[in-house]
Amino acid sequence: WCVGCVWWVCGLKMKLISAIVAISAVELLKVFINSGAYPSDELLWKVTIHVTFVMSGVLFALTDYLNSKTQSH
């Protein structure tokens, strides 16, 4: 999606997804500190959501990398 866009838009997108992953990691750490207060299914959902954020960040980075390697026409 970054083909033909301004270079800072791609960087801003990566900063945003990085911030979302960092916030999710902090929240997950808070949950793990008090893991006895949460049922196991809720812990599983929180971990699943965090992994989803991480994977989408990796995929965004991969697409930006691939787009930077292609030549514009």
Side-chain angles (χ1 to χ4, degrees):
W1 125 209
C2 286
V3 174
C5 72
V6 180
W7 64 270
W8 56 268
V9 173
C10 299
L12 188 60
K13 180 175 62 173
M14 289 308 301
K15 287 181 183 179
L16 177 64
I17 196 72
S18 298
I20 290 170
V21 169
I23 291 168
S24 174
V26 169
E27 290 299 317
L28 194 59
L29 181 60
K30 283 196 243 181
V31 168
F32 281 149
I33 289 173
N34 296 324
S35 62
Y38 295 93
S40 61
D41 60 335
E42 188 173 347
L43 290 173
L44 179 65
W45 274 110
K46 290 182 183 292
V47 169
T48 303
I49 291 169
H50 178 71
V51 169
T52 303
F53 285 146
V54 170
M55 290 305 299
S56 32
V58 169
L59 290 175
F60 274 126
L62 180 64
T63 57
D64 281 348
Y65 173 76
L66 293 175
N67 282 335
S68 72
K69 295 298 178 188
T70 59
Q71 295 179 4
S72 60
H73 296 276

